[in-house]
Amino acid sequence: LAGRAATELADNLECRVSWKAIGSIGASSDKLIRTLLPRLPETRVDFFVVSIGVNDVTALARLSTFRRNLERLFDALERHSPAAITAIAGIPPLRGFPLLPQPLRALFGLRGDTFDGTIQKVAAERTSVAFVPLDFDPLPEKFSADGFHPSEESYREFGRMVAEQLVQAFQDRPDRYVAARQ
């Protein structure tokens, strides 16, 4: 995702983009705050791309805990790079994930929709955060062979959607983004 978003961002802004991915397979919002935030680069950045929440849904995390973690995450990113814009992905349509058997698929789908709404609300409260909806038709070809993670084509599309949100935010508030133009 990070590479695809960086490539699209560079194309859209017609500039060179340096990027770094910091992630952990299966990370919940708690784990992200504890183990990944300390690994942020020392230098300030112009953009953050965050994809989180599916593991909170599947681990049955409390919605109130997830919301609190989102707020803590955004606070930390704003302290790290006050002028940066953060693109946060919504929760994908778990109701259609091929790996998940019914009725688990339906239950995770409903729960995912609730968590997605929370991400939207928390993002809307922040001028530095752009929400990237991931509501797509969950066809089997949209997934990798494991039936859970996105396919290469889906990552390409996802990266394009993230870049579009970041570019829109950049164009809406160009005075905030000095480093991106240098």
Side-chain angles (χ1 to χ4, degrees):
L1 172 61
R4 293 293 181 187
T7 298
E8 292 289 333
L9 194 57
D11 290 347
N12 282 304
L13 294 177
E14 298 178 347
C15 67
R16 219 178 95 218
V17 173
S18 297
W19 60 275
K20 179 178 182 177
I22 303 171
S24 177
I25 294 172
S28 65
S29 57
D30 280 333
K31 184 176 182 181
L32 183 138
I33 289 168
R34 282 192 330 272
T35 64
L36 301 180
L37 278 181
R39 293 173 38 202
L40 287 175
E42 290 183 24
T43 58
R44 290 186 174 176
V45 302
D46 295 306
F47 304 110
F48 291 105
V49 176
V50 177
S51 177
I52 192 160
V54 171
N55 295 315
D56 291 271
V57 170
T58 60
L60 304 178
R62 294 178 58 128
L63 186 60
S64 60
T65 301
F66 179 69
R67 181 186 177 95
R68 203 167 34 254
N69 287 342
L70 280 178
E71 291 168 348
R72 289 174 56 204
L73 170 64
F74 293 149
D75 288 344
L77 296 179
E78 288 172 4
R79 279 192 305 275
H80 180 277
S81 296
I85 193 79
T86 299
I88 184 156
I91 303 292
L94 296 173
R95 66 189 169 281
F97 276 37
L99 174 72
L100 301 173
Q102 289 293 12
L104 193 58
R105 188 180 328 155
L107 292 172
F108 280 163
L110 291 171
R111 190 167 160 73
D113 291 346
T114 302
F115 275 62
D116 189 71
T118 296
I119 294 171
Q120 287 181 55
K121 288 176 189 164
V122 173
E125 295 167 358
R126 311 246 176 177
T127 59
S128 63
V129 178
F131 176 74
V132 182
L134 292 183
D135 192 21
F136 59 88
D137 192 9
L139 301 171
E141 60 268 18
K142 297 280 186 179
F143 296 88
S144 65
D146 70 4
F148 192 81
H149 294 93
S151 67
E152 183 61 31
E153 180 57 36
S154 292
Y155 271 124
R156 208 173 355 268
E157 185 178 333
F158 187 13
R160 181 189 50 74
M161 292 168 19
V162 166
E164 286 174 359
Q165 288 293 329
L166 291 172
V167 168
Q168 184 63 50
F170 179 81
Q171 291 171 342
D172 288 347
R173 294 185 299 260
D175 56 305
R176 291 188 61 180
Y177 307 103
V178 175
R181 294 181 297 215
Q182 296 175 345

